[in-house]
Amino acid sequence: MRTLTGIVAALAIMGWTVGAATAEPAGSTPLDSLAACPANARADSPVLLIHGTHADVEKSLGPVRQALLDDGRCVYGLDYDSDEPLSTSVDYFTAAVDRIRAVNQVDSLDLVGKSQGALIARAVSLQFAARAVNPIRAVVAVSGPQHGTSPAGLHLTLPTGSAVPQGFPFLSPAMADMIAGSSYLTRLNSGPMVAPGVRYVMTATAYDQIVTPYATAFIDAPGVTNILVQDGCPEDHTGHLAGSTDPRTVDLVLHALDPVRHPGVRCTANDNGK
């Protein structure tokens, strides 16, 4: 059983939100500071990495970023306030996509998100759905609560043993947005779950104790590939946090982005359930 502090810390790792957004919230990477890709970067679409709650790109997707850089890919990783409403963060990253395309004079980007960042990535792709050509080529989502998470799945109790207050007033706006049935998720998922022409790969682990049930990370829609880490590798017991460095999870992301350069996906025993 977890204490109130435990649940707040656990849910905070995912990210959650609600409210009006500005293009550049306080604490975020200034978009006018984003420069063009290095001249020696490969011609592939740039990759924008979106981290999880109370984390950064290194904590959420460090091995993925390093592997992409080793491949010669152009990679962007921006800081943002993961306590802000999801709508605020989605608007910020939508503007970031336009900025990255402009400074590089490219037509498309790939998005990779972990946890809260995975949900933001999908929402950004939907923001562009009204355009004649969606600039998002692919979305790779790692343990993202696409349908919201259930706090009941975390088996939490308050220090007093009383019930969790209705509305979860102790949660940040972002955390509240990530609860299944939140007004934000209801709006986001009231229409098509994915954008036409965008390729989606959703990964999840059966040992996730933060995004619960783990199948909330999956989407049943055309153009979506759902992958459970344990399929074909039952000895990998990685949890939500450990997925950031889990070899199989990292390989699944790399394979989703570029199966030619990363055809293999490792199967490594992993008992790190955190």
Side-chain angles (χ1 to χ4, degrees), residues 29 31 36 39 80 86 130 169 176 211 231 240 245 264:
T29 300
L31 297 183
Y80 72 103
L86 282 183
V211 172
D231 283 350
H240 186 87
T245 57

Side-chain angles (χ1 to χ4, degrees), residues 3 6 20 54 60 69 80-81 108 144 163 170 190 195 224 227 229 234 236 257:
T3 64
H54 297 172
S60 292
L69 292 173
Y80 72 103
D81 184 349
S108 63
F170 51 85
S190 62
V224 180
I227 302 174
V229 170
D236 190 337
L257 288 173

Side-chain angles (χ1 to χ4, degrees), residues 1-143:
M1 305 293 280
R2 300 190 186 186
T3 64
L4 173 60
T5 301
I7 175 156
V8 172
L11 293 175
I13 289 168
M14 309 166 35
W16 317 19
T17 301
V18 46
T22 59
E24 206 164 292
S28 59
T29 300
L31 297 183
D32 60 8
S33 71
L34 301 181
C37 297
N40 61 349
R42 284 170 52 202
D44 301 77
S45 297
V47 182
L48 175 57
L49 306 180
I50 308 178
H51 64 74
T53 310
H54 297 172
D56 54 27
V57 171
E58 181 59 30
K59 290 180 180 178
S60 292
L61 295 162
V64 170
R65 174 171 61 181
Q66 189 56 56
L68 291 171
L69 292 173
D70 291 344
D71 280 352
R73 293 289 293 268
C74 177
V75 183
Y76 291 88
L78 283 58
D79 292 322
Y80 72 103
D81 184 349
S82 56
D83 283 329
E84 290 281 354
L86 282 183
S87 57
T88 299
S89 299
V90 169
D91 281 356
Y92 169 70
F93 281 102
T94 299
V97 168
D98 280 333
R99 168 68 181 183
I100 293 169
R101 290 179 61 230
V103 297
N104 290 293
Q105 298 184 347
V106 296
D107 295 328
S108 63
L109 266 75
D110 292 334
L111 303 180
V112 179
K114 168 73 187 291
S115 195
Q116 176 184 174
L119 179 52
I120 291 173
R122 178 173 68 91
V124 168
S125 74
L126 290 171
Q127 291 265 79
F128 287 112
R131 295 192 184 182
V133 178
N134 195 320
I136 306 304
R137 184 177 70 167
V139 171
V140 183
V142 179
S143 297

Side-chain angles (χ1 to χ4, degrees), residues 204-246:
T205 172
Y207 295 89
D208 200 322
Q209 295 183 348
I210 294 177
V211 172
T212 58
Y214 69 83
T216 190
F218 293 152
I219 292 176
D220 182 13
V224 180
T225 300
N226 296 311
I227 302 174
L228 184 65
V229 170
Q230 286 73 36
D231 283 350
C233 189
E235 57 266 48
D236 190 337
H237 298 173
T238 181
H240 186 87
L241 299 183
S244 295
T245 57
D246 175 58

Side-chain angles (χ1 to χ4, degrees), residues 131-218:
R131 295 192 184 182
V133 178
N134 195 320
I136 306 304
R137 184 177 70 167
V139 171
V140 183
V142 179
S143 297
Q146 306 297 340
H147 300 276
T149 189
S150 171
L154 299 176
H155 305 292
L156 306 166
T157 57
L158 296 173
T160 61
S162 59
V164 177
Q166 185 175 5
F168 304 101
F170 51 85
L171 299 180
S172 72
M175 293 179 185
D177 275 354
M178 299 290 283
I179 297 290
S182 72
S183 58
Y184 177 81
L185 284 172
T186 299
R187 292 193 303 271
L188 179 68
N189 296 338
S190 62
M193 295 285 289
V194 295
V198 179
R199 184 169 58 88
Y200 295 85
V201 177
M202 307 289 179
T203 74
T205 172
Y207 295 89
D208 200 322
Q209 295 183 348
I210 294 177
V211 172
T212 58
Y214 69 83
T216 190
F218 293 152

